[in-house]
Coordinates of all heavy atoms in Angstrom, one line a residue:
R25 N -12.4 -14.6 -8.8 CA -11.9 -15.4 -7.7 C -10.4 -15.1 -7.6 O -9.7 -14.7 -8.5 CB -12.1 -16.9 -7.9 CG -11.4 -17.5 -9.0 CD -11.8 -18.9 -9.3 NE -10.7 -19.6 -9.9 CZ -10.3 -20.8 -9.5 NH1 -10.9 -21.4 -8.5 NH2 -9.3 -21.4 -10.1
G26 N -9.9 -15.1 -6.4 CA -8.5 -14.9 -6.1 C -8.0 -13.5 -5.8 O -6.9 -13.2 -5.7
V27 N -9.0 -12.6 -5.7 CA -8.7 -11.2 -5.3 C -8.3 -11.2 -3.8 O -9.0 -11.7 -3.0 CB -9.8 -10.2 -5.6 CG1 -9.6 -8.8 -5.1 CG2 -10.2 -10.2 -7.1
V28 N -7.1 -10.5 -3.5 CA -6.7 -10.4 -2.1 C -7.0 -9.0 -1.6 O -6.5 -8.0 -2.3 CB -5.2 -10.8 -2.0 CG1 -4.8 -10.8 -0.5 CG2 -4.9 -12.1 -2.6
S29 N -7.7 -8.9 -0.6 CA -8.2 -7.6 -0.1 C -8.1 -7.5 1.4 O -8.2 -8.5 2.1 CB -9.7 -7.5 -0.6 OG -10.2 -6.2 -0.5
M30 N -8.1 -6.2 1.8 CA -8.0 -5.9 3.3 C -9.4 -6.1 3.9 O -10.4 -5.6 3.5 CB -7.5 -4.5 3.5 CG -6.1 -4.2 3.2 SD -4.9 -5.3 4.0 CE -5.3 -5.0 5.7
G31 N -9.4 -6.8 5.1 CA -10.5 -6.8 5.9 C -10.5 -5.5 6.7 O -9.4 -5.0 7.0
N32 N -11.7 -5.0 7.0 CA -11.7 -3.7 7.8 C -13.0 -3.6 8.6 O -13.9 -4.4 8.4 CB -11.5 -2.5 6.9 CG -12.6 -2.3 5.9 OD1 -13.8 -2.5 6.2 ND2 -12.2 -1.9 4.7
T33 N -13.1 -2.6 9.4 CA -14.3 -2.4 10.2 C -15.0 -1.1 9.7 O -15.8 -0.6 10.4 CB -13.9 -2.2 11.7 OG1 -13.0 -1.2 11.9 CG2 -13.4 -3.5 12.2
G34 N -14.6 -0.6 8.6 CA -15.1 0.6 8.0 C -14.1 1.4 7.3 O -12.9 1.0 7.1
K35 N -14.5 2.6 6.8 CA -13.6 3.4 6.0 C -12.3 3.8 6.8 O -12.4 4.2 8.0 CB -14.3 4.7 5.6 CG -13.5 5.6 4.7 CD -14.4 6.8 4.2 CE -13.6 7.7 3.4 NZ -13.0 7.2 2.1
N36 N -11.2 3.6 6.2 CA -9.9 3.9 6.8 C -9.6 3.2 8.1 O -9.0 3.7 9.0 CB -9.7 5.4 6.9 CG -9.7 6.2 5.6 OD1 -9.1 5.7 4.7 ND2 -10.4 7.3 5.5
C37 N -10.2 2.0 8.2 CA -10.0 1.2 9.5 C -9.4 -0.2 9.1 O -9.9 -1.2 9.6 CB -11.3 1.1 10.2 SG -11.9 2.6 10.9
N38 N -8.3 -0.2 8.3 CA -7.7 -1.5 8.0 C -6.8 -1.9 9.2 O -6.3 -1.1 9.9 CB -6.8 -1.3 6.8 CG -7.7 -0.9 5.6 OD1 -8.4 -1.8 5.1 ND2 -7.6 0.3 5.1
G39 N -6.7 -3.2 9.3 CA -5.8 -3.8 10.4 C -4.8 -4.8 9.7 O -4.2 -4.5 8.7
S40 N -4.8 -5.9 10.3 CA -3.9 -7.0 9.8 C -4.6 -8.1 9.1 O -4.0 -9.1 8.7 CB -3.0 -7.5 10.9 OG -3.8 -8.1 11.9
Q41 N -5.9 -8.1 9.0 CA -6.6 -9.2 8.4 C -6.8 -8.9 6.9 O -7.0 -7.8 6.4 CB -8.0 -9.3 9.0 CG -7.9 -9.8 10.5 CD -9.2 -10.1 11.1 OE1 -10.2 -9.5 10.7 NE2 -9.3 -11.0 12.0
F42 N -6.9 -10.0 6.2 CA -7.2 -10.0 4.7 C -8.1 -11.1 4.4 O -8.3 -12.0 5.1 CB -5.9 -10.0 3.9 CG -5.2 -11.3 4.0 CD1 -5.4 -12.3 3.1 CD2 -4.3 -11.6 5.0 CE1 -4.8 -13.6 3.1 CE2 -3.6 -12.8 5.1 CZ -3.9 -13.8 4.1
F43 N -8.6 -11.1 3.2 CA -9.4 -12.2 2.7 C -9.1 -12.4 1.2 O -8.6 -11.5 0.5 CB -10.9 -12.0 2.9 CG -11.5 -10.7 2.3 CD1 -12.0 -10.7 1.0 CD2 -11.5 -9.5 3.0 CE1 -12.5 -9.6 0.4 CE2 -12.0 -8.4 2.4 CZ -12.5 -8.4 1.1
I44 N -9.5 -13.6 0.7 CA -9.3 -13.9 -0.7 C -10.7 -14.3 -1.2 O -11.3 -15.2 -0.6 CB -8.3 -15.1 -0.9 CG1 -7.0 -14.7 -0.3 CG2 -8.2 -15.5 -2.4 CD1 -6.0 -15.9 -0.2
T45 N -11.1 -13.7 -2.3 CA -12.4 -14.0 -2.9 C -12.4 -15.4 -3.6 O -11.4 -15.8 -4.1 CB -12.9 -12.9 -3.9 OG1 -12.0 -12.9 -5.0 CG2 -13.0 -11.6 -3.2
L46 N -13.6 -16.0 -3.5 CA -13.8 -17.3 -4.2 C -14.6 -17.1 -5.4 O -14.9 -18.1 -6.1 CB -14.5 -18.3 -3.2 CG -13.7 -18.6 -1.9 CD1 -14.5 -19.5 -1.0 CD2 -12.4 -19.3 -2.3
G47 N -15.0 -15.9 -5.8 CA -15.7 -15.6 -6.9 C -16.0 -14.1 -7.0 O -15.5 -13.4 -6.1
P48 N -16.7 -13.6 -8.0 CA -16.9 -12.1 -8.0 C -17.7 -11.7 -6.8 O -18.7 -12.4 -6.3 CB -17.8 -12.0 -9.3 CG -17.5 -13.2 -10.1 CD -17.2 -14.3 -9.1
T49 N -17.3 -10.6 -6.1 CA -18.0 -10.1 -5.0 C -18.2 -8.6 -5.1 O -17.5 -7.8 -4.4 CB -17.2 -10.4 -3.7 OG1 -15.9 -10.0 -3.9 CG2 -17.3 -11.9 -3.4
P50 N -19.0 -8.1 -6.0 CA -19.1 -6.7 -6.3 C -19.6 -5.8 -5.2 O -19.3 -4.6 -5.1 CB -20.0 -6.6 -7.5 CG -20.8 -7.9 -7.5 CD -19.9 -8.9 -6.9
W51 N -20.3 -6.4 -4.2 CA -20.8 -5.6 -3.1 C -19.6 -5.2 -2.2 O -19.8 -4.3 -1.3 CB -21.8 -6.5 -2.2 CG -21.2 -7.8 -1.8 CD1 -20.6 -8.0 -0.6 CD2 -21.3 -9.0 -2.5 NE1 -20.2 -9.4 -0.5 CE2 -20.7 -10.0 -1.6 CE3 -21.8 -9.4 -3.7 CZ2 -20.5 -11.3 -2.0 CZ3 -21.7 -10.7 -4.1 CH2 -21.1 -11.7 -3.2
L52 N -18.4 -5.7 -2.4 CA -17.2 -5.3 -1.6 C -16.5 -4.1 -2.2 O -15.6 -3.5 -1.6 CB -16.3 -6.4 -1.4 CG -16.8 -7.7 -0.7 CD1 -15.8 -8.8 -0.7 CD2 -17.3 -7.3 0.7
D53 N -16.8 -3.8 -3.5 CA -16.1 -2.7 -4.2 C -16.3 -1.4 -3.5 O -17.4 -1.1 -3.1 CB -16.6 -2.6 -5.7 CG -16.3 -3.8 -6.5 OD1 -15.5 -4.7 -6.1 OD2 -16.9 -3.9 -7.6
G54 N -15.2 -0.7 -3.4 CA -15.2 0.6 -2.8 C -15.2 0.6 -1.3 O -15.2 1.6 -0.6
K55 N -15.3 -0.6 -0.7 CA -15.3 -0.8 0.8 C -14.0 -1.4 1.3 O -13.7 -1.2 2.5 CB -16.5 -1.6 1.2 CG -17.8 -0.9 0.8 CD -19.0 -1.8 1.2 CE -20.3 -1.2 0.7 NZ -21.4 -2.1 0.9
H56 N -13.4 -2.2 0.5 CA -12.2 -2.9 0.9 C -11.1 -2.7 -0.1 O -11.3 -2.8 -1.3 CB -12.5 -4.4 1.0 CG -13.5 -4.7 2.1 ND1 -13.1 -4.9 3.4 CD2 -14.8 -4.9 2.0 CE1 -14.2 -5.2 4.1 NE2 -15.3 -5.1 3.3
T57 N -9.9 -2.4 0.4 CA -8.7 -2.1 -0.5 C -8.1 -3.4 -1.0 O -7.7 -4.3 -0.2 CB -7.6 -1.4 0.3 OG1 -8.2 -0.1 0.8 CG2 -6.4 -1.1 -0.5
I58 N -8.1 -3.5 -2.3 CA -7.4 -4.7 -3.0 C -5.9 -4.5 -3.0 O -5.5 -3.4 -3.4 CB -8.0 -4.9 -4.4 CG1 -9.5 -5.2 -4.3 CG2 -7.3 -5.9 -5.2 CD1 -10.3 -5.2 -5.6
F59 N -5.2 -5.5 -2.7 CA -3.7 -5.3 -2.8 C -3.0 -6.5 -3.5 O -1.8 -6.6 -3.5 CB -3.1 -5.1 -1.4 CG -3.2 -6.2 -0.4 CD1 -2.2 -7.2 -0.3 CD2 -4.4 -6.4 0.4 CE1 -2.3 -8.2 0.6 CE2 -4.5 -7.4 1.3 CZ -3.4 -8.3 1.4
G60 N -3.8 -7.4 -4.0 CA -3.2 -8.5 -4.8 C -4.2 -9.5 -5.4 O -5.4 -9.3 -5.2
R61 N -3.6 -10.4 -6.1 CA -4.4 -11.5 -6.7 C -3.6 -12.8 -6.5 O -2.4 -12.8 -6.7 CB -4.7 -11.3 -8.2 CG -5.7 -10.2 -8.4 CD -6.1 -10.2 -9.9 NE -6.8 -9.0 -10.2 CZ -8.2 -9.0 -10.3 NH1 -8.9 -10.0 -10.2 NH2 -8.8 -7.8 -10.6
V62 N -4.3 -13.9 -6.3 CA -3.6 -15.2 -6.3 C -3.3 -15.6 -7.7 O -4.1 -15.6 -8.6 CB -4.6 -16.3 -5.6 CG1 -3.9 -17.6 -5.7 CG2 -4.9 -15.9 -4.2
C63 N -2.0 -15.8 -7.9 CA -1.6 -16.2 -9.3 C -1.2 -17.7 -9.3 O -1.1 -18.3 -10.4 CB -0.5 -15.3 -9.9 SG 0.9 -15.0 -8.8
R64 N -0.9 -18.3 -8.2 CA -0.7 -19.8 -8.1 C -1.2 -20.3 -6.8 O -1.2 -19.6 -5.8 CB 0.9 -20.0 -8.1 CG 1.5 -19.8 -9.5 CD 3.0 -20.0 -9.4 NE 3.7 -19.1 -8.5 CZ 4.1 -17.9 -8.7 NH1 3.7 -17.3 -9.9 NH2 4.7 -17.1 -7.8
G65 N -1.8 -21.5 -6.9 CA -2.3 -22.1 -5.7 C -3.7 -21.9 -5.4 O -4.2 -22.0 -4.3
M66 N -4.5 -21.5 -6.4 CA -5.9 -21.2 -6.2 C -6.7 -22.4 -5.8 O -7.7 -22.3 -5.0 CB -6.5 -20.6 -7.5 CG -7.9 -19.9 -7.3 SD -7.9 -18.6 -6.1 CE -9.6 -18.6 -5.6
G67 N -6.2 -23.6 -6.1 CA -6.8 -24.9 -5.7 C -6.8 -25.0 -4.1 O -7.7 -25.4 -3.5
N68 N -5.7 -24.5 -3.5 CA -5.6 -24.5 -2.1 C -6.5 -23.5 -1.5 O -7.1 -23.8 -0.4 CB -4.1 -24.2 -1.6 CG -3.2 -25.3 -2.0 OD1 -3.6 -26.5 -1.9 ND2 -2.0 -25.0 -2.3
V69 N -6.7 -22.4 -2.1 CA -7.7 -21.4 -1.6 C -9.1 -22.0 -1.7 O -9.9 -21.8 -0.8 CB -7.6 -20.1 -2.5 CG1 -8.7 -19.1 -2.0 CG2 -6.2 -19.4 -2.3
G70 N -9.4 -22.7 -2.8 CA -10.7 -23.3 -2.9 C -10.9 -24.3 -1.7 O -12.0 -24.4 -1.2
K71 N -9.9 -25.1 -1.4 CA -10.0 -26.0 -0.2 C -10.3 -25.2 1.1 O -11.1 -25.7 1.9 CB -8.7 -26.8 -0.1 CG -8.5 -27.8 -1.2 CD -7.2 -28.5 -1.0 CE -6.9 -29.4 -2.1 NZ -5.5 -30.1 -2.0
L72 N -9.7 -24.1 1.3 CA -10.0 -23.3 2.5 C -11.5 -22.9 2.4 O -12.2 -22.8 3.5 CB -9.1 -22.0 2.5 CG -7.7 -22.3 2.9 CD1 -6.9 -21.0 2.7 CD2 -7.5 -22.8 4.3
G73 N -12.0 -22.6 1.3 CA -13.4 -22.1 1.1 C -14.4 -23.3 1.4 O -15.6 -23.0 1.7
C74 N -13.9 -24.5 1.4 CA -14.8 -25.7 1.7 C -14.8 -26.1 3.1 O -15.5 -27.0 3.5 CB -14.4 -26.8 0.8 SG -14.7 -26.6 -1.0
V75 N -14.0 -25.5 4.0 CA -13.9 -25.8 5.4 C -15.2 -25.5 6.1 O -15.8 -24.5 5.9 CB -12.7 -25.1 6.1 CG1 -12.8 -25.3 7.6 CG2 -11.4 -25.5 5.5
K76 N -15.7 -26.5 6.8 CA -16.9 -26.3 7.6 C -16.7 -25.3 8.7 O -15.7 -25.4 9.4 CB -17.4 -27.7 8.2 CG -17.9 -28.6 7.1 CD -18.5 -29.9 7.7 CE -19.0 -30.8 6.6 NZ -19.6 -32.0 7.1
V77 N -17.6 -24.4 8.9 CA -17.5 -23.4 10.0 C -18.8 -23.5 10.9 O -19.8 -24.0 10.5 CB -17.4 -22.0 9.4 CG1 -16.1 -21.9 8.6 CG2 -18.5 -21.6 8.5
D78 N -18.6 -22.9 12.1 CA -19.7 -22.9 13.0 C -20.5 -21.6 12.8 O -20.3 -20.8 11.9 CB -19.2 -23.0 14.5 CG -18.3 -21.8 14.9 OD1 -18.3 -20.7 14.3 OD2 -17.6 -22.0 15.9
K79 N -21.5 -21.3 13.7 CA -22.4 -20.2 13.6 C -21.6 -18.8 13.7 O -22.1 -17.8 13.2 CB -23.5 -20.2 14.6 CG -23.0 -20.1 16.0 CD -24.1 -20.2 17.0 CE -23.6 -20.0 18.4 NZ -24.6 -19.9 19.4
N80 N -20.4 -18.9 14.2 CA -19.6 -17.6 14.3 C -18.5 -17.6 13.2 O -17.6 -16.8 13.2 CB -18.9 -17.6 15.7 CG -19.9 -17.5 16.8 OD1 -20.8 -16.7 16.8 ND2 -19.7 -18.3 17.8
D81 N -18.7 -18.4 12.2 CA -17.8 -18.5 11.0 C -16.4 -18.9 11.4 O -15.4 -18.5 10.7 CB -17.8 -17.1 10.3 CG -17.6 -17.2 8.8 OD1 -17.9 -18.3 8.2 OD2 -17.1 -16.3 8.2
R82 N -16.3 -19.7 12.4 CA -15.0 -20.2 12.8 C -14.9 -21.7 12.4 O -15.9 -22.4 12.4 CB -14.8 -20.2 14.4 CG -14.9 -18.8 14.9 CD -13.6 -18.1 14.7 NE -13.7 -16.8 15.3 CZ -12.9 -15.8 15.0 NH1 -12.0 -16.0 14.1 NH2 -13.0 -14.6 15.6
P83 N -13.7 -22.1 11.9 CA -13.5 -23.5 11.5 C -13.9 -24.5 12.6 O -13.5 -24.4 13.7 CB -12.0 -23.6 11.2 CG -11.6 -22.2 11.0 CD -12.4 -21.4 11.8
V84 N -14.7 -25.5 12.2 CA -15.2 -26.5 13.2 C -14.1 -27.4 13.7 O -14.0 -27.7 14.9 CB -16.3 -27.4 12.5 CG1 -16.7 -28.6 13.4 CG2 -17.5 -26.6 12.2
G85 N -13.1 -27.7 12.9 CA -12.0 -28.6 13.3 C -10.9 -27.9 14.0 O -9.8 -28.5 14.3
G86 N -11.0 -26.6 14.3 CA -9.9 -25.8 14.9 C -9.3 -24.8 14.0 O -9.6 -24.7 12.8
E87 N -8.3 -24.2 14.5 CA -7.6 -23.1 13.7 C -6.9 -23.6 12.5 O -6.4 -24.7 12.5 CB -6.5 -22.5 14.6 CG -5.9 -21.3 14.0 CD -4.9 -20.7 15.0 OE1 -3.7 -21.1 15.1 OE2 -5.3 -19.7 15.7
I88 N -6.9 -22.9 11.4 CA -6.3 -23.2 10.2 C -5.2 -22.1 9.9 O -5.4 -20.9 10.1 CB -7.2 -23.2 9.0 CG1 -8.3 -24.3 9.2 CG2 -6.5 -23.4 7.7 CD1 -9.4 -24.3 8.2
K89 N -4.0 -22.6 9.6 CA -2.9 -21.6 9.4 C -2.3 -21.8 8.0 O -2.2 -22.9 7.5 CB -1.7 -21.9 10.4 CG -2.1 -21.7 11.8 CD -0.9 -22.0 12.7 CE -1.2 -21.7 14.2 NZ -0.1 -21.9 15.0
I90 N -2.0 -20.6 7.4 CA -1.2 -20.6 6.2 C 0.2 -20.6 6.6 O 0.7 -19.7 7.2 CB -1.6 -19.3 5.3 CG1 -3.1 -19.3 5.0 CG2 -0.7 -19.3 4.1 CD1 -3.5 -18.1 4.3
I91 N 0.9 -21.7 6.2 CA 2.3 -21.9 6.7 C 3.3 -21.2 5.8 O 4.3 -20.6 6.2 CB 2.6 -23.4 6.7 CG1 1.7 -24.2 7.6 CG2 4.1 -23.6 7.1 CD1 1.7 -23.8 9.0
S92 N 3.0 -21.1 4.5 CA 3.9 -20.5 3.6 C 3.2 -19.8 2.5 O 2.2 -20.3 2.0 CB 4.8 -21.6 3.0 OG 5.7 -21.0 2.0
A93 N 3.6 -18.6 2.1 CA 3.1 -17.8 1.0 C 4.2 -16.9 0.4 O 5.1 -16.6 1.1 CB 1.9 -17.0 1.5
S94 N 4.1 -16.6 -0.8 CA 5.0 -15.7 -1.4 C 4.3 -14.6 -2.2 O 3.1 -14.8 -2.5 CB 6.1 -16.4 -2.3 OG 5.4 -17.1 -3.3
A95 N 5.0 -13.6 -2.6 CA 4.3 -12.5 -3.3 C 5.2 -12.1 -4.5 O 6.4 -12.1 -4.4 CB 4.1 -11.3 -2.4
D96 N 4.5 -11.9 -5.6 CA 5.2 -11.2 -6.8 C 4.1 -10.5 -7.5 O 2.9 -10.7 -7.2 CB 5.9 -12.2 -7.7 CG 5.1 -13.3 -8.4 OD1 4.0 -12.9 -8.9 OD2 5.5 -14.4 -8.4

Side-chain angles (χ1 to χ4, degrees):
R25 66 190 207 131
V27 173
V28 185
S29 192
M30 291 302 304
N32 63 40
T33 57
K35 184 174 176 61
N36 295 319
C37 290
N38 297 290
S40 63
Q41 293 184 333
F42 67 92
F43 59 90
I44 302 170
T45 61
L46 297 173
T49 51
W51 57 89
L52 301 175
D53 294 348
K55 297 177 183 172
H56 296 273
T57 300
I58 295 171
F59 65 95
R61 288 188 192 258
V62 174
C63 51
R64 287 179 299 280
M66 195 58 206
N68 291 326
V69 174
K71 289 177 186 177
L72 289 172
C74 292
V75 171
K76 290 184 181 185
V77 296
D78 64 18
K79 65 180 180 173
N80 296 313
D81 210 25
R82 300 282 183 201
V84 172
E87 186 177 86
I88 296 173
K89 294 182 180 183
I90 298 172
I91 303 299
S92 176
S94 62
D96 66 42

